[in-house]
Amino acid sequence: MNVEHVEYSSVGIQQPQNACYAEGGSRAWLVVFGAWCALVPAWGIMNTAGVLYLWTSTHQLKNYPESSYGWIYSAYGFFVYFAGAPMGMIFDAWGPTYLVVMGSLGMVVSLICFSFSNEYYQVFLSLSVLGGLSASALSTSALATIWHWFDRRRAFATGVACTAGGLGGVIFPIIIYFTAPKVGFGWSIRIIALISAVLLVFACSLITTRLPVRTDAYKGLALKPLKDANFAATTAAIFLTECAVFIPSTYISSYAVHVGLSNIIAYLLLVFLNLGMIPGRILPALAADRLGRFNIMILTTLICAIMTLALWYEAGDSLGALVCYAVFFGFWSGAALSLSPVCISQTCTAAEYGSRSGMAYSIASIGMLLGIGLAGVFEQRSHGAAYNRGLIVFAGVLFLAAAGAFVVARGVCRGWSWRARF
């Protein structure tokens, strides 16, 4: 194993003397595989929100107002991120084992309970609350552990693990579409629970850390890190990104049905989006390790804004335009999701990463909740052409704001020279 002694990270932040990174080798890549196994259910369910939204809005929850559906799935993402602060402190203080085991048990129980849910409060408690908290434990431990093993190749290793969310977002909608009409929606969710349980056994076995725990980790509950301008600016940029990034994946299926396309097309659009997300987690990450993580984040959020305001805005009921948008948006939004946490790692040491990333995503969780929820209000109050100009413009403007915020964060962290690889 090629172990390299590192006293300073790639962005000049002083590291502890034991901060040497494997940057590869069988043990480090087994950790990445374990993280991948944990993220298939944790992020795969999040990326299946559009299909779950479409099914429950026409079956279990059809008697509830349209504006109430979006809050269920935005709440799932909210709890995934909002619980990040305490999960990060637990990780820094005790390591990943407790989080992975408890998150695995919680995720399987959540899916089983969701499969029996028929009322709004049952869906909310089983999927949004229990599922979101369990996914938070899994994603925090999975991603934070990777950053204990990689520095120079951190974006690439993270991107490889994050392909799990895209793959889950491909497989889970297909399972629901083909099995729910035959054996029932409940059994289709139980099949997903079984697949998740098998993967989470591997996650519990393989996710291990290499740095000692921090006895002062619980001090991270204070907001002191926000006094660091680098961290605060990066957190603000991620907040705006999370506001926008899940709106298209949550609403594109219902949009397709609304403009007159068939249910199978609505399901397949989400599959195409998640297929695009898989290479989007890896290829921009390779470029980010060479050209700068913040530089690529600016590019990805800007492209997401342009595609949303130009391609989706003008798509109407054109199947070709919607498929193109789904694939290319999936690619670039996948890059945004996998690079955001790597940008946080550039503002702190590896030993601080768990608590700092947790705090950043706890703040970003409010953005996700507001973004998806307010988009649902646009969906209820406007239809036809107004539907496009309301929900789609809302998402596109948020992406533009995120791109601008990352420009500011990059300038605060590294300066305003565009030649810097940061």
Side-chain angles (χ1 to χ4, degrees), residues 32 90 129 227 390 404 421:
V32 173
I90 293 172
V129 180
K227 296 180 181 180
R421 296 182 179 182

Side-chain angles (χ1 to χ4, degrees), residues 155 283-294 296-297 339 346 422:
L283 298 181
L286 282 170
D289 282 334
R290 292 164 174 78
L291 303 178
R293 288 82 181 254
F294 278 75
I296 299 299
M297 274 299 302
L339 290 178
Q346 294 196 211
F422 186 76

